[in-house]
């Protein structure tokens, strides 16, 4: 058996692959995971792609290398499978910004409005259970366009994604005041400084960025769409404004492009402390021990499943 204290080694990779086979497991990884995890995963993608993969897999165990709400989503649509997350503390500031009891109280206080609640997938099962439909950054425009016209929309929990999708669709909506702590750190000035060094560079940014940053971008999109943008763009230099793990994926998928994260790798791309909690060692351990496991009360799971399935139907 490998020494878990040792740095990632070929042995550790082999042990993970052997355990994966033994457990009949699939390894799903988000685009923000460390390179070693992306390289060993069966599928690497954005929240939308990962939701589809989780729903479609025949594997008995899903080792979800991402953050808690992503693994929880996989469990919601796969109640009979074992879903494990390498580090149980891999949370998300957006999820934290919208506790289910606060949302429930808000909806009760505003019951006369009869809100149609659209929840960004970066939220807990409890919030999903209170929502009409879920969206990701990859399908938010489509989901909002499909919303009933005779009900006001409440968009939770990310006000930045919400404002971006409201601008794209022309739909008015009320916003929960949540934000991603990583994406709101990028500033207009920090991007403008890199732009001054590379005046011909294209800028691609995640919609969780503030509007000041989004306005500087040539393309605002989900992490998976960034792959297509970087491959297809005529620009040779591309400034990538999102979490740093994205660069590993992009450098593999668009090898001819100069992908710029800023002089220190922090101006345009920086680490999500939650995403970076997962390591190869922890992935090995969670496949070996089948924990930390995602477990959900069945009533919440059922109520959270309906809006996820509505999303998956609407974004086919
Ligand atoms: P994507 O669905 O675009 O990958 O975004 C997930 C996320 O957490 C962004 O911070
Ligand atoms: Fe959550 Fe932001 Fe990390 Fe994405 S980057 S998982 S939104 S804290």
């Amino acid at each position: 058996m490998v020494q878990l204290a040792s740095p990632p080694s070929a042995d550790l990779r082999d042990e993970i692959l052997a355990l994966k086979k033994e457990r009949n497991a699939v390894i799903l990884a988000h685009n923000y995971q460390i390179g070693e995890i992306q390289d060993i995963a069966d599928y690497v993608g954005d929240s939308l792609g990962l939701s589809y993969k989780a729903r479609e897999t025949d594997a008995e165990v899903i080792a979800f290398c991402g953050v808690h709400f992503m693994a929880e989503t996989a469990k919601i649509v796969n109640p009979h499978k074992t879903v494990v997350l390498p580090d149980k503390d891999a949370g998300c500031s957006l999820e934290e910004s919208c506790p289910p009891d606060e949302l429930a109280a808000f909806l009760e206080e505003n019951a006369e409005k009869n809100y149609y609640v659209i929840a960004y997938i970066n939220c807990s099962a409890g919030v999903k259970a209170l929502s009409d439909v879920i969206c990701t950054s990859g399908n938010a425009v489509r989901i909002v366009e499909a919303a009933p016209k005779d009900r006001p929309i409440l968009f939770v929990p990310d006000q930045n994604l919400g404002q971006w999708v409201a601008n794209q669709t022309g739909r008015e909506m009320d916003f929960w005041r949540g934000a991603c702590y990583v994406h709101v750190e990028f500033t207009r000035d920090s991007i403008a400084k890199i732009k001054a060094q590379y005046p011909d560079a294209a800028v691609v940014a995640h919609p969780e960025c503030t509007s000041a940053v989004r306005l500087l971008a040539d393309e605002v999109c989900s992490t998976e769409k960034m792959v297509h943008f970087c491959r297809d763009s005529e620009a040779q230099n591309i400034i990538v404004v999102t979490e740093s793990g994205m660069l590993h994926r992009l450098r593999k998928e668009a090898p001819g492009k100069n992908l710029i994260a800023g002089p220190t790798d922090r101006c345009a791309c920086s680490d999500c402390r939650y995403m970076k909690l997962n390591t190869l060692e922890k992935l090995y351990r969670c496949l070996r021990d089948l924990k930390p496991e995602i477990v959900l009360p069945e009533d919440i799971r059922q109520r959270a499943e309906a809006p996820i399935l509505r999303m998956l139907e609407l974004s086919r």
Side-chain angles (χ1 to χ4, degrees), residues 30 32 67 69-70 91-95 120 122 158 179-183 206 208 242-243 270-275:
H30 186 265
Y32 294 164
V67 290
F69 75 81
M70 296 177 174
C92 170
S93 65
L94 274 169
E95 176 177 351
Y120 184 32
N122 296 38
D158 187 7
C180 161
Y181 90 98
V182 177
H183 286 86
H206 198 275
E208 289 170 11
T242 193
E243 207 274 347
S270 59
D271 287 352
C272 167
R273 64 172 176 267
Y274 303 107
M275 286 279 180

Side-chain angles (χ1 to χ4, degrees), residues 7 16 27-28 44 55 87 110 122 179 203 230 233 262 277 289:
I16 290 171
I27 300 174
L28 304 181
V44 183
R55 185 147 171 79
D87 191 310
N110 294 280
N122 296 38
V203 178
C230 291
S233 170
L277 284 174
D289 304 340

